[in-house]
Amino acid sequence: MIIVIDALNKHLFSGVLDEMFRLRARVFGDRLGWKVNIQDGKEIDEFDHLDPAYVVGLDPDGHVVAAVRALQTTGPHMLADVFSDILCGEPPIRSATMWESTRFCVDTQRLNRSKDRHSVSYATCELMIGSLEYARRSGIKDIVTVIDPVMDRVLKRSDNAPYDYVGQTVPMGKVPALAALLDTSEERVDRVRKFAGICHDVFLSDDEALALFNSKRVVSFPEQGRSSRSDTGELTALEAYFLEQIRAAETDSELKAIYDLIDALPREISAERKTVLKSYPNSLAREV
């Protein structure tokens, strides 16, 4: 499940970003041995202060399991200002229709090595699909990405092979680094979807992503009216979020929109729990 975080909505997702930066520290600092700046367990560099876009993958439990950063190439970016040795003296690529994709990482500790929805392979392909589709919808035709040889092989195995490379491969930390070019064509996205068996829309709305991320916290069911624990059991934060929205609804259309959102989350809330939520009286919810 993919969420896009940029300058317009990043104030809503500070918790998601913190978890993403911690994941980056483990991957690029600890595992790959890159010379990155890590403070308080988070890897943040100067390009994170330029309001880039982040494409972030969440697992069904609301944890950040994958992420990648997108930067415009018309301004400062890593290939031009950090990895310039790759370019062999050639000028950096600058184009209004090309983004730089960097800091692609997946949580190999939380994910497994099988082929299910909790696997490294699934999260990797879902992030590829999300980043390519987001770029294409934003008018971007090509992506230049700084990767290591392992990621290059992952791209090729996922039927997402680069169409070309830039410059040369140079040493960096424990692994070499190289720059690859990817188009954002529908054909490329379709190939990755077919490889991974992902047919559905991978994107979450801001409200869905916030509810899912916050669902990691468990709270008690409110002790009001007929809402007994014996009837409903423990209430997760995701369910509490919807109760808060029901309580705040002022019109029938607003209430219907909340019910539609509940129905749109087939995996996070069981059918039985959905029935409990939607049968919870709006007047009673206002008292919670």
Side-chain angles (χ1 to χ4, degrees), residues 1-5 16-17 19-20 23 54-69 103-107 110-111 117 119 122-131 202-204 209 212-213 216:
M1 291 169 279
I2 300 297
I3 177 68
V4 176
I5 304 175
V16 176
L17 291 173
E19 195 167 312
M20 179 196 72
L23 173 60
Y54 303 99
V55 182
V56 182
L58 301 177
D59 70 7
D61 295 323
H63 295 283
V64 173
V65 292
V68 66
R69 179 177 66 190
R103 293 303 196 258
F104 191 110
C105 56
V106 177
D107 192 341
R110 185 174 297 278
L111 298 167
R117 295 176 66 90
S119 69
Y122 186 94
T124 299
C125 290
E126 188 178 57
L127 188 63
M128 289 180 187
I129 292 166
S131 59
V202 299
F203 292 99
L204 293 172
L212 180 59
F213 182 77
K216 292 180 295 185

mmCIF file of all heavy atoms in Angstrom, residues 1-5 16-17 19-20 23 54-69 103-107 110-111 117 119 122-131 202-204 209 212-213 216:
data_model
loop_
_atom_site.group_PDB
_atom_site.id
_atom_site.type_symbol
_atom_site.label_atom_id
_atom_site.label_comp_id
_atom_site.label_asym_id
_atom_site.label_seq_id
_atom_site.Cartn_x
_atom_site.Cartn_y
_atom_site.Cartn_z
ATOM 1 N N MET A 1 0.843 -1.184 0.000
ATOM 2 C CA MET A 1 0.000 0.000 0.000
ATOM 3 C C MET A 1 0.885 1.242 0.000
ATOM 4 O O MET A 1 1.760 1.381 0.846
ATOM 5 C CB MET A 1 -0.923 -0.027 1.211
ATOM 6 C CG MET A 1 -1.976 -1.136 1.112
ATOM 7 S SD MET A 1 -2.877 -1.413 2.646
ATOM 8 C CE MET A 1 -1.677 -2.423 3.502
ATOM 9 N N ILE A 2 0.656 2.127 -0.950
ATOM 10 C CA ILE A 2 1.573 3.230 -1.223
ATOM 11 C C ILE A 2 0.941 4.576 -0.848
ATOM 12 O O ILE A 2 -0.222 4.847 -1.154
ATOM 13 C CB ILE A 2 1.956 3.257 -2.719
ATOM 14 C CG1 ILE A 2 2.639 1.940 -3.121
ATOM 15 C CG2 ILE A 2 2.844 4.455 -3.014
ATOM 16 C CD1 ILE A 2 3.940 1.670 -2.419
ATOM 17 N N ILE A 3 1.743 5.416 -0.214
ATOM 18 C CA ILE A 3 1.357 6.794 0.078
ATOM 19 C C ILE A 3 2.433 7.715 -0.489
ATOM 20 O O ILE A 3 3.631 7.406 -0.411
ATOM 21 C CB ILE A 3 1.195 7.025 1.603
ATOM 22 C CG1 ILE A 3 0.862 8.479 1.917
ATOM 23 C CG2 ILE A 3 2.447 6.582 2.357
ATOM 24 C CD1 ILE A 3 -0.482 8.940 1.468
ATOM 25 N N VAL A 4 2.014 8.811 -1.094
ATOM 26 C CA VAL A 4 2.947 9.818 -1.605
ATOM 27 C C VAL A 4 2.963 10.985 -0.632
ATOM 28 O O VAL A 4 1.908 11.548 -0.300
ATOM 29 C CB VAL A 4 2.541 10.300 -3.007
ATOM 30 C CG1 VAL A 4 3.474 11.418 -3.467
ATOM 31 C CG2 VAL A 4 2.577 9.143 -3.997
ATOM 32 N N ILE A 5 4.146 11.344 -0.160
ATOM 33 C CA ILE A 5 4.306 12.458 0.783
ATOM 34 C C ILE A 5 5.158 13.526 0.121
ATOM 35 O O ILE A 5 6.270 13.251 -0.355
ATOM 36 C CB ILE A 5 4.981 11.983 2.085
ATOM 37 C CG1 ILE A 5 4.185 10.836 2.713
ATOM 38 C CG2 ILE A 5 5.124 13.135 3.065
ATOM 39 C CD1 ILE A 5 4.859 10.220 3.938
ATOM 40 N N VAL A 16 5.304 8.949 9.858
ATOM 41 C CA VAL A 16 5.678 8.090 8.740
ATOM 42 C C VAL A 16 7.082 8.437 8.260
ATOM 43 O O VAL A 16 7.913 7.553 8.018
ATOM 44 C CB VAL A 16 4.669 8.215 7.583
ATOM 45 C CG1 VAL A 16 5.117 7.393 6.378
ATOM 46 C CG2 VAL A 16 3.280 7.780 8.030
ATOM 47 N N LEU A 17 7.368 9.732 8.138
ATOM 48 C CA LEU A 17 8.688 10.161 7.679
ATOM 49 C C LEU A 17 9.784 9.752 8.661
ATOM 50 O O LEU A 17 10.862 9.311 8.248
ATOM 51 C CB LEU A 17 8.704 11.671 7.457
ATOM 52 C CG LEU A 17 7.872 12.179 6.276
ATOM 53 C CD1 LEU A 17 7.839 13.700 6.256
ATOM 54 C CD2 LEU A 17 8.430 11.647 4.956
ATOM 55 N N GLU A 19 9.785 7.161 10.628
ATOM 56 C CA GLU A 19 9.997 5.727 10.463
ATOM 57 C C GLU A 19 10.756 5.435 9.170
ATOM 58 O O GLU A 19 11.604 4.538 9.120
ATOM 59 C CB GLU A 19 8.648 4.999 10.477
ATOM 60 C CG GLU A 19 8.758 3.508 10.675
ATOM 61 C CD GLU A 19 7.437 2.848 10.986
ATOM 62 O OE1 GLU A 19 6.701 3.361 11.865
ATOM 63 O OE2 GLU A 19 7.130 1.820 10.355
ATOM 64 N N MET A 20 10.472 6.203 8.126
ATOM 65 C CA MET A 20 11.181 6.037 6.867
ATOM 66 C C MET A 20 12.661 6.394 7.018
ATOM 67 O O MET A 20 13.550 5.676 6.529
ATOM 68 C CB MET A 20 10.544 6.919 5.789
ATOM 69 C CG MET A 20 11.227 6.828 4.428
ATOM 70 S SD MET A 20 10.776 8.195 3.326
ATOM 71 C CE MET A 20 11.674 9.554 4.103
ATOM 72 N N LEU A 23 14.470 3.653 8.698
ATOM 73 C CA LEU A 23 14.710 2.559 7.764
ATOM 74 C C LEU A 23 15.903 2.881 6.874
ATOM 75 O O LEU A 23 16.772 2.019 6.640
ATOM 76 C CB LEU A 23 13.463 2.312 6.916
ATOM 77 C CG LEU A 23 13.608 1.307 5.756
ATOM 78 C CD1 LEU A 23 14.014 -0.068 6.272
ATOM 79 C CD2 LEU A 23 12.313 1.234 4.955
ATOM 80 N N TYR A 54 8.254 11.766 -1.537
ATOM 81 C CA TYR A 54 8.593 10.422 -1.075
ATOM 82 C C TYR A 54 7.450 9.476 -1.434
ATOM 83 O O TYR A 54 6.283 9.781 -1.178
ATOM 84 C CB TYR A 54 8.795 10.386 0.439
ATOM 85 C CG TYR A 54 9.853 11.339 0.946
ATOM 86 C CD1 TYR A 54 9.503 12.575 1.492
ATOM 87 C CD2 TYR A 54 11.211 11.015 0.891
ATOM 88 C CE1 TYR A 54 10.462 13.460 1.966
ATOM 89 C CE2 TYR A 54 12.179 11.889 1.354
ATOM 90 C CZ TYR A 54 11.797 13.112 1.899
ATOM 91 O OH TYR A 54 12.756 13.980 2.357
ATOM 92 N N VAL A 55 7.793 8.368 -2.034
ATOM 93 C CA VAL A 55 6.826 7.307 -2.278
ATOM 94 C C VAL A 55 7.114 6.234 -1.227
ATOM 95 O O VAL A 55 8.215 5.682 -1.185
ATOM 96 C CB VAL A 55 6.949 6.741 -3.698
ATOM 97 C CG1 VAL A 55 5.887 5.669 -3.947
ATOM 98 C CG2 VAL A 55 6.818 7.868 -4.728
ATOM 99 N N VAL A 56 6.139 5.984 -0.365
ATOM 100 C CA VAL A 56 6.364 5.150 0.818
ATOM 101 C C VAL A 56 5.404 3.966 0.810
ATOM 102 O O VAL A 56 4.211 4.123 0.551
ATOM 103 C CB VAL A 56 6.162 5.970 2.117
ATOM 104 C CG1 VAL A 56 6.447 5.110 3.346
ATOM 105 C CG2 VAL A 56 7.068 7.203 2.110
ATOM 106 N N GLY A 57 5.941 2.786 1.095
ATOM 107 C CA GLY A 57 5.126 1.588 1.186
ATOM 108 C C GLY A 57 4.832 1.231 2.625
ATOM 109 O O GLY A 57 5.730 1.212 3.470
ATOM 110 N N LEU A 58 3.558 0.962 2.931
ATOM 111 C CA LEU A 58 3.131 0.509 4.254
ATOM 112 C C LEU A 58 2.661 -0.932 4.162
ATOM 113 O O LEU A 58 2.034 -1.323 3.171
ATOM 114 C CB LEU A 58 1.983 1.380 4.783
ATOM 115 C CG LEU A 58 2.239 2.883 4.939
ATOM 116 C CD1 LEU A 58 0.959 3.579 5.408
ATOM 117 C CD2 LEU A 58 3.376 3.145 5.915
ATOM 118 N N ASP A 59 2.955 -1.718 5.195
ATOM 119 C CA ASP A 59 2.436 -3.079 5.210
ATOM 120 C C ASP A 59 1.035 -3.090 5.815
ATOM 121 O O ASP A 59 0.554 -2.052 6.291
ATOM 122 C CB ASP A 59 3.409 -4.027 5.937
ATOM 123 C CG ASP A 59 3.465 -3.792 7.445
ATOM 124 O OD1 ASP A 59 2.679 -2.992 7.981
ATOM 125 O OD2 ASP A 59 4.321 -4.428 8.103
ATOM 126 N N PRO A 60 0.327 -4.225 5.818
ATOM 127 C CA PRO A 60 -1.045 -4.259 6.347
ATOM 128 C C PRO A 60 -1.152 -3.885 7.816
ATOM 129 O O PRO A 60 -2.250 -3.571 8.296
ATOM 130 C CB PRO A 60 -1.467 -5.714 6.109
ATOM 131 C CG PRO A 60 -0.671 -6.152 4.936
ATOM 132 C CD PRO A 60 0.667 -5.495 5.120
ATOM 133 N N ASP A 61 -0.024 -3.904 8.546
ATOM 134 C CA ASP A 61 -0.036 -3.522 9.955
ATOM 135 C C ASP A 61 0.305 -2.047 10.162
ATOM 136 O O ASP A 61 0.383 -1.579 11.299
ATOM 137 C CB ASP A 61 0.963 -4.385 10.744
ATOM 138 C CG ASP A 61 0.558 -5.848 10.761
ATOM 139 O OD1 ASP A 61 -0.652 -6.128 10.843
ATOM 140 O OD2 ASP A 61 1.452 -6.711 10.677
ATOM 141 N N GLY A 62 0.531 -1.319 9.073
ATOM 142 C CA GLY A 62 0.789 0.111 9.184
ATOM 143 C C GLY A 62 2.240 0.504 9.336
ATOM 144 O O GLY A 62 2.544 1.666 9.593
ATOM 145 N N HIS A 63 3.171 -0.440 9.174
ATOM 146 C CA HIS A 63 4.598 -0.131 9.292
ATOM 147 C C HIS A 63 5.176 0.281 7.944
ATOM 148 O O HIS A 63 4.776 -0.234 6.901
ATOM 149 C CB HIS A 63 5.368 -1.341 9.807
ATOM 150 C CG HIS A 63 4.998 -1.749 11.196
ATOM 151 N ND1 HIS A 63 5.438 -1.092 12.312
ATOM 152 C CD2 HIS A 63 4.207 -2.775 11.643
ATOM 153 C CE1 HIS A 63 4.961 -1.674 13.392
ATOM 154 N NE2 HIS A 63 4.203 -2.682 13.020
ATOM 155 N N VAL A 64 6.142 1.205 7.972
ATOM 156 C CA VAL A 64 6.869 1.575 6.758
ATOM 157 C C VAL A 64 7.803 0.418 6.386
ATOM 158 O O VAL A 64 8.664 0.026 7.183
ATOM 159 C CB VAL A 64 7.691 2.854 6.976
ATOM 160 C CG1 VAL A 64 8.576 3.139 5.761
ATOM 161 C CG2 VAL A 64 6.765 4.043 7.239
ATOM 162 N N VAL A 65 7.636 -0.118 5.195
ATOM 163 C CA VAL A 65 8.468 -1.248 4.765
ATOM 164 C C VAL A 65 9.242 -0.951 3.493
ATOM 165 O O VAL A 65 10.096 -1.752 3.095
ATOM 166 C CB VAL A 65 7.613 -2.525 4.568
ATOM 167 C CG1 VAL A 65 7.086 -3.022 5.903
ATOM 168 C CG2 VAL A 65 6.473 -2.289 3.587
ATOM 169 N N ALA A 66 8.982 0.185 2.852
ATOM 170 C CA ALA A 66 9.698 0.522 1.623
ATOM 171 C C ALA A 66 9.570 2.017 1.369
ATOM 172 O O ALA A 66 8.578 2.636 1.784
ATOM 173 C CB ALA A 66 9.146 -0.264 0.434
ATOM 174 N N ALA A 67 10.556 2.585 0.686
ATOM 175 C CA ALA A 67 10.493 4.020 0.401
ATOM 176 C C ALA A 67 11.481 4.383 -0.694
ATOM 177 O O ALA A 67 12.492 3.694 -0.897
ATOM 178 C CB ALA A 67 10.798 4.837 1.660
ATOM 179 N N VAL A 68 11.175 5.462 -1.396
ATOM 180 C CA VAL A 68 12.086 6.018 -2.386
ATOM 181 C C VAL A 68 11.832 7.513 -2.469
ATOM 182 O O VAL A 68 10.718 7.984 -2.194
ATOM 183 C CB VAL A 68 11.884 5.347 -3.769
ATOM 184 C CG1 VAL A 68 10.522 5.670 -4.349
ATOM 185 C CG2 VAL A 68 12.998 5.731 -4.740
ATOM 186 N N ARG A 69 12.857 8.283 -2.821
ATOM 187 C CA ARG A 69 12.758 9.744 -2.889
ATOM 188 C C ARG A 69 12.860 10.214 -4.332
ATOM 189 O O ARG A 69 13.677 9.693 -5.106
ATOM 190 C CB ARG A 69 13.876 10.366 -2.062
ATOM 191 C CG ARG A 69 13.894 11.891 -2.070
ATOM 192 C CD ARG A 69 14.992 12.426 -1.173
ATOM 193 N NE ARG A 69 16.331 12.096 -1.676
ATOM 194 C CZ ARG A 69 17.451 12.277 -0.984
ATOM 195 N NH1 ARG A 69 17.397 12.763 0.237
ATOM 196 N NH2 ARG A 69 18.626 11.960 -1.518
ATOM 197 N N ARG A 103 17.609 6.726 -2.740
ATOM 198 C CA ARG A 103 17.242 6.217 -1.411
ATOM 199 C C ARG A 103 16.147 5.160 -1.491
ATOM 200 O O ARG A 103 15.287 5.076 -0.628
ATOM 201 C CB ARG A 103 16.843 7.358 -0.482
ATOM 202 C CG ARG A 103 17.969 8.319 -0.104
ATOM 203 C CD ARG A 103 19.133 7.578 0.555
ATOM 204 N NE ARG A 103 20.043 8.481 1.256
ATOM 205 C CZ ARG A 103 21.217 8.872 0.792
ATOM 206 N NH1 ARG A 103 21.630 8.461 -0.410
ATOM 207 N NH2 ARG A 103 22.002 9.653 1.506
ATOM 208 N N PHE A 104 16.175 4.337 -2.557
ATOM 209 C CA PHE A 104 15.228 3.224 -2.679
ATOM 210 C C PHE A 104 15.636 2.173 -1.641
ATOM 211 O O PHE A 104 16.747 1.665 -1.662
ATOM 212 C CB PHE A 104 15.302 2.634 -4.087
ATOM 213 C CG PHE A 104 14.192 1.666 -4.415
ATOM 214 C CD1 PHE A 104 13.206 1.998 -5.337
ATOM 215 C CD2 PHE A 104 14.123 0.422 -3.810
ATOM 216 C CE1 PHE A 104 12.183 1.112 -5.651
ATOM 217 C CE2 PHE A 104 13.110 -0.477 -4.112
ATOM 218 C CZ PHE A 104 12.145 -0.123 -5.033
ATOM 219 N N CYS A 105 14.726 1.849 -0.736
ATOM 220 C CA CYS A 105 15.067 0.891 0.319
ATOM 221 C C CYS A 105 13.848 0.081 0.716
ATOM 222 O O CYS A 105 12.706 0.537 0.608
ATOM 223 C CB CYS A 105 15.653 1.596 1.535
ATOM 224 S SG CYS A 105 14.596 2.883 2.244
ATOM 225 N N VAL A 106 14.108 -1.135 1.171
ATOM 226 C CA VAL A 106 13.064 -2.066 1.606
ATOM 227 C C VAL A 106 13.491 -2.673 2.934
ATOM 228 O O VAL A 106 14.679 -2.966 3.142
ATOM 229 C CB VAL A 106 12.839 -3.171 0.553
ATOM 230 C CG1 VAL A 106 11.803 -4.180 1.031
ATOM 231 C CG2 VAL A 106 12.400 -2.564 -0.777
ATOM 232 N N ASP A 107 12.551 -2.867 3.826
ATOM 233 C CA ASP A 107 12.838 -3.398 5.156
ATOM 234 C C ASP A 107 12.938 -4.923 5.095
ATOM 235 O O ASP A 107 11.942 -5.634 5.236
ATOM 236 C CB ASP A 107 11.752 -2.978 6.142
ATOM 237 C CG ASP A 107 12.146 -3.244 7.593
ATOM 238 O OD1 ASP A 107 13.061 -4.046 7.815
ATOM 239 O OD2 ASP A 107 11.531 -2.646 8.494
ATOM 240 N N ARG A 110 11.747 -6.802 8.488
ATOM 241 C CA ARG A 110 10.328 -6.986 8.778
ATOM 242 C C ARG A 110 9.660 -7.896 7.754
ATOM 243 O O ARG A 110 8.714 -8.621 8.078
ATOM 244 C CB ARG A 110 9.621 -5.621 8.808
ATOM 245 C CG ARG A 110 8.163 -5.677 9.219
ATOM 246 C CD ARG A 110 7.578 -4.287 9.360
ATOM 247 N NE ARG A 110 8.238 -3.547 10.411
ATOM 248 C CZ ARG A 110 7.954 -3.665 11.703
ATOM 249 N NH1 ARG A 110 7.006 -4.501 12.094
ATOM 250 N NH2 ARG A 110 8.601 -2.953 12.609
ATOM 251 N N LEU A 111 10.125 -7.870 6.520
ATOM 252 C CA LEU A 111 9.501 -8.645 5.453
ATOM 253 C C LEU A 111 10.158 -10.014 5.329
ATOM 254 O O LEU A 111 11.297 -10.214 5.741
ATOM 255 C CB LEU A 111 9.615 -7.890 4.127
ATOM 256 C CG LEU A 111 8.904 -6.534 4.087
ATOM 257 C CD1 LEU A 111 9.349 -5.739 2.866
ATOM 258 C CD2 LEU A 111 7.390 -6.706 4.091
ATOM 259 N N ARG A 117 2.187 -11.271 0.187
ATOM 260 C CA ARG A 117 2.094 -9.815 0.323
ATOM 261 C C ARG A 117 2.999 -9.265 1.416
ATOM 262 O O ARG A 117 3.169 -8.053 1.519
ATOM 263 C CB ARG A 117 0.643 -9.426 0.605
ATOM 264 C CG ARG A 117 -0.308 -9.749 -0.543
ATOM 265 C CD ARG A 117 -1.734 -9.424 -0.157
ATOM 266 N NE ARG A 117 -1.934 -7.995 0.048
ATOM 267 C CZ ARG A 117 -2.297 -7.148 -0.897
ATOM 268 N NH1 ARG A 117 -2.499 -7.578 -2.133
ATOM 269 N NH2 ARG A 117 -2.469 -5.873 -0.632
ATOM 270 N N SER A 119 6.204 -10.088 1.616
ATOM 271 C CA SER A 119 7.550 -10.426 1.169
ATOM 272 C C SER A 119 8.330 -9.211 0.677
ATOM 273 O O SER A 119 7.762 -8.173 0.318
ATOM 274 C CB SER A 119 7.479 -11.458 0.040
ATOM 275 O OG SER A 119 6.944 -10.876 -1.133
ATOM 276 N N TYR A 122 7.369 -8.536 -3.020
ATOM 277 C CA TYR A 122 6.100 -7.835 -3.221
ATOM 278 C C TYR A 122 6.263 -6.349 -2.898
ATOM 279 O O TYR A 122 5.833 -5.488 -3.671
ATOM 280 C CB TYR A 122 5.016 -8.451 -2.335
ATOM 281 C CG TYR A 122 3.639 -7.881 -2.579
ATOM 282 C CD1 TYR A 122 2.759 -8.509 -3.459
ATOM 283 C CD2 TYR A 122 3.211 -6.714 -1.953
ATOM 284 C CE1 TYR A 122 1.494 -7.985 -3.699
ATOM 285 C CE2 TYR A 122 1.959 -6.183 -2.185
ATOM 286 C CZ TYR A 122 1.098 -6.824 -3.055
ATOM 287 O OH TYR A 122 -0.149 -6.289 -3.289
ATOM 288 N N ALA A 123 6.887 -6.043 -1.759
ATOM 289 C CA ALA A 123 7.056 -4.642 -1.361
ATOM 290 C C ALA A 123 7.913 -3.881 -2.364
ATOM 291 O O ALA A 123 7.651 -2.712 -2.665
ATOM 292 C CB ALA A 123 7.677 -4.566 0.032
ATOM 293 N N THR A 124 8.949 -4.558 -2.897
ATOM 294 C CA THR A 124 9.820 -3.923 -3.883
ATOM 295 C C THR A 124 9.049 -3.591 -5.158
ATOM 296 O O THR A 124 9.139 -2.467 -5.676
ATOM 297 C CB THR A 124 10.995 -4.859 -4.218
ATOM 298 O OG1 THR A 124 11.762 -5.105 -3.035
ATOM 299 C CG2 THR A 124 11.891 -4.239 -5.273
ATOM 300 N N CYS A 125 8.293 -4.552 -5.663
ATOM 301 C CA CYS A 125 7.537 -4.337 -6.901
ATOM 302 C C CYS A 125 6.431 -3.309 -6.702
ATOM 303 O O CYS A 125 6.185 -2.467 -7.579
ATOM 304 C CB CYS A 125 6.953 -5.655 -7.400
ATOM 305 S SG CYS A 125 8.198 -6.808 -8.018
ATOM 306 N N GLU A 126 5.767 -3.350 -5.556
ATOM 307 C CA GLU A 126 4.716 -2.373 -5.287
ATOM 308 C C GLU A 126 5.291 -0.963 -5.253
ATOM 309 O O GLU A 126 4.684 -0.017 -5.776
ATOM 310 C CB GLU A 126 4.024 -2.697 -3.964
ATOM 311 C CG GLU A 126 2.796 -1.833 -3.697
ATOM 312 C CD GLU A 126 2.096 -2.207 -2.411
ATOM 313 O OE1 GLU A 126 2.751 -2.189 -1.347
ATOM 314 O OE2 GLU A 126 0.887 -2.512 -2.457
ATOM 315 N N LEU A 127 6.482 -0.818 -4.660
ATOM 316 C CA LEU A 127 7.120 0.499 -4.624
ATOM 317 C C LEU A 127 7.535 0.944 -6.019
ATOM 318 O O LEU A 127 7.405 2.123 -6.372
ATOM 319 C CB LEU A 127 8.333 0.469 -3.693
ATOM 320 C CG LEU A 127 8.986 1.823 -3.416
ATOM 321 C CD1 LEU A 127 8.010 2.757 -2.705
ATOM 322 C CD2 LEU A 127 10.250 1.649 -2.584
ATOM 323 N N MET A 128 8.038 0.024 -6.834
ATOM 324 C CA MET A 128 8.370 0.356 -8.219
ATOM 325 C C MET A 128 7.134 0.855 -8.964
ATOM 326 O O MET A 128 7.176 1.881 -9.658
ATOM 327 C CB MET A 128 8.927 -0.877 -8.935
ATOM 328 C CG MET A 128 10.304 -1.304 -8.512
ATOM 329 S SD MET A 128 10.802 -2.778 -9.450
ATOM 330 C CE MET A 128 12.343 -3.201 -8.647
ATOM 331 N N ILE A 129 6.038 0.116 -8.827
ATOM 332 C CA ILE A 129 4.792 0.494 -9.510
ATOM 333 C C ILE A 129 4.336 1.869 -9.038
ATOM 334 O O ILE A 129 3.986 2.738 -9.841
ATOM 335 C CB ILE A 129 3.703 -0.564 -9.251
ATOM 336 C CG1 ILE A 129 4.066 -1.876 -9.933
ATOM 337 C CG2 ILE A 129 2.337 -0.069 -9.736
ATOM 338 C CD1 ILE A 129 3.236 -3.064 -9.466
ATOM 339 N N GLY A 130 4.341 2.074 -7.723
ATOM 340 C CA GLY A 130 3.894 3.350 -7.178
ATOM 341 C C GLY A 130 4.737 4.516 -7.637
ATOM 342 O O GLY A 130 4.222 5.571 -8.015
ATOM 343 N N SER A 131 6.062 4.338 -7.633
ATOM 344 C CA SER A 131 6.940 5.442 -8.029
ATOM 345 C C SER A 131 6.834 5.742 -9.521
ATOM 346 O O SER A 131 6.831 6.909 -9.937
ATOM 347 C CB SER A 131 8.390 5.120 -7.650
ATOM 348 O OG SER A 131 8.832 3.928 -8.269
ATOM 349 N N VAL A 202 -2.511 0.631 -6.202
ATOM 350 C CA VAL A 202 -1.629 0.475 -5.047
ATOM 351 C C VAL A 202 -1.679 1.670 -4.097
ATOM 352 O O VAL A 202 -1.147 1.596 -2.982
ATOM 353 C CB VAL A 202 -0.168 0.254 -5.488
ATOM 354 C CG1 VAL A 202 -0.052 -1.013 -6.334
ATOM 355 C CG2 VAL A 202 0.388 1.458 -6.240
ATOM 356 N N PHE A 203 -2.321 2.765 -4.493
ATOM 357 C CA PHE A 203 -2.249 3.992 -3.714
ATOM 358 C C PHE A 203 -3.328 4.074 -2.635
ATOM 359 O O PHE A 203 -4.471 3.662 -2.837
ATOM 360 C CB PHE A 203 -2.370 5.214 -4.625
ATOM 361 C CG PHE A 203 -1.192 5.408 -5.529
ATOM 362 C CD1 PHE A 203 -1.235 4.989 -6.851
ATOM 363 C CD2 PHE A 203 -0.031 5.996 -5.066
ATOM 364 C CE1 PHE A 203 -0.155 5.152 -7.695
ATOM 365 C CE2 PHE A 203 1.068 6.169 -5.898
ATOM 366 C CZ PHE A 203 1.001 5.747 -7.213
ATOM 367 N N LEU A 204 -2.939 4.638 -1.491
ATOM 368 C CA LEU A 204 -3.863 4.982 -0.415
ATOM 369 C C LEU A 204 -4.092 6.489 -0.431
ATOM 370 O O LEU A 204 -3.197 7.256 -0.789
ATOM 371 C CB LEU A 204 -3.274 4.604 0.945
ATOM 372 C CG LEU A 204 -3.076 3.126 1.269
ATOM 373 C CD1 LEU A 204 -2.308 2.995 2.579
ATOM 374 C CD2 LEU A 204 -4.394 2.391 1.348
ATOM 375 N N ALA A 209 -4.100 6.304 4.639
ATOM 376 C CA ALA A 209 -2.737 6.074 5.101
ATOM 377 C C ALA A 209 -2.574 6.457 6.563
ATOM 378 O O ALA A 209 -1.936 5.738 7.341
ATOM 379 C CB ALA A 209 -1.754 6.865 4.234
ATOM 380 N N LEU A 212 -4.273 3.817 8.695
ATOM 381 C CA LEU A 212 -3.514 2.569 8.720
ATOM 382 C C LEU A 212 -2.261 2.715 9.573
ATOM 383 O O LEU A 212 -1.954 1.838 10.393
ATOM 384 C CB LEU A 212 -3.141 2.154 7.293
ATOM 385 C CG LEU A 212 -2.329 0.864 7.155
ATOM 386 C CD1 LEU A 212 -3.084 -0.312 7.758
ATOM 387 C CD2 LEU A 212 -2.001 0.598 5.693
ATOM 388 N N PHE A 213 -1.521 3.808 9.413
ATOM 389 C CA PHE A 213 -0.295 4.016 10.184
ATOM 390 C C PHE A 213 -0.603 4.098 11.674
ATOM 391 O O PHE A 213 0.098 3.518 12.496
ATOM 392 C CB PHE A 213 0.411 5.290 9.721
ATOM 393 C CG PHE A 213 1.721 5.552 10.431
ATOM 394 C CD1 PHE A 213 2.857 4.848 10.093
ATOM 395 C CD2 PHE A 213 1.803 6.508 11.424
ATOM 396 C CE1 PHE A 213 4.068 5.082 10.733
ATOM 397 C CE2 PHE A 213 3.013 6.749 12.079
ATOM 398 C CZ PHE A 213 4.143 6.037 11.730
ATOM 399 N N LYS A 216 -1.401 0.932 14.383
ATOM 400 C CA LYS A 216 -0.435 0.148 15.141
ATOM 401 C C LYS A 216 -0.667 0.284 16.641
ATOM 402 O O LYS A 216 -0.269 -0.560 17.422
ATOM 403 C CB LYS A 216 0.987 0.598 14.817
ATOM 404 C CG LYS A 216 1.419 0.279 13.399
ATOM 405 C CD LYS A 216 2.826 0.732 13.133
ATOM 406 C CE LYS A 216 2.951 2.235 13.194
ATOM 407 N NZ LYS A 216 4.312 2.688 12.816
#
